[in-house]
Amino acid sequence: MQVEVTLEETAVLIRWKKRSDNHVLVRMKAEAILYASEGVGIGIIAKMVERAERTVQEWPADWQATRMCSVLTGHAGRLIHRV
């Protein structure tokens, strides 16, 4: 599933993916959304982030519904100010 990501969102997702102080899941979701924005298949994305395809399939749909919030879901609010 390909998702649309703005230039601003791409910049934030790249920063989140690179930060070692972010939660691992935030980094994985950011990476997955970046791959999905380039049209990479779910199977390949799942391998790259080392998660089950079934899990990774949900992330692009969540992105479509809530954008940046979908990456931070279930994590400390302190990360939101870094957007």
Side-chain angles (χ1 to χ4, degrees):
M1 167 185 237
Q2 186 159 357
V3 296
E4 295 293 323
V5 178
T6 67
L7 292 175
E8 293 85 6
E9 290 168 334
T10 298
V12 171
L13 290 168
I14 289 170
R15 283 196 307 271
W16 284 351
K17 184 175 92 66
K18 290 181 177 181
R19 290 186 70 111
S20 61
D21 62 335
N22 279 344
H23 294 280
V24 173
L25 188 57
V26 171
R27 291 194 309 266
M28 281 191 286
K29 285 183 173 183
E31 184 174 3
I33 295 303
L34 289 167
Y35 284 135
S37 74
E38 296 294 328
V40 176
I42 292 295
I44 294 170
I45 295 171
K47 287 179 186 175
M48 297 301 291
V49 298
E50 299 178 333
R51 288 293 183 260
E53 282 188 42
R54 189 170 169 190
T55 299
V56 175
Q57 283 176 337
E58 297 172 7
W59 296 348
D62 292 346
W63 173 263
Q64 299 287 46
T66 61
R67 311 299 288 183
M68 300 301 267
C69 291
S70 70
V71 178
L72 299 174
T73 300
H75 298 284
R78 66 180 180 81
L79 295 175
I80 293 174
H81 77 275
R82 293 187 183 144
V83 174

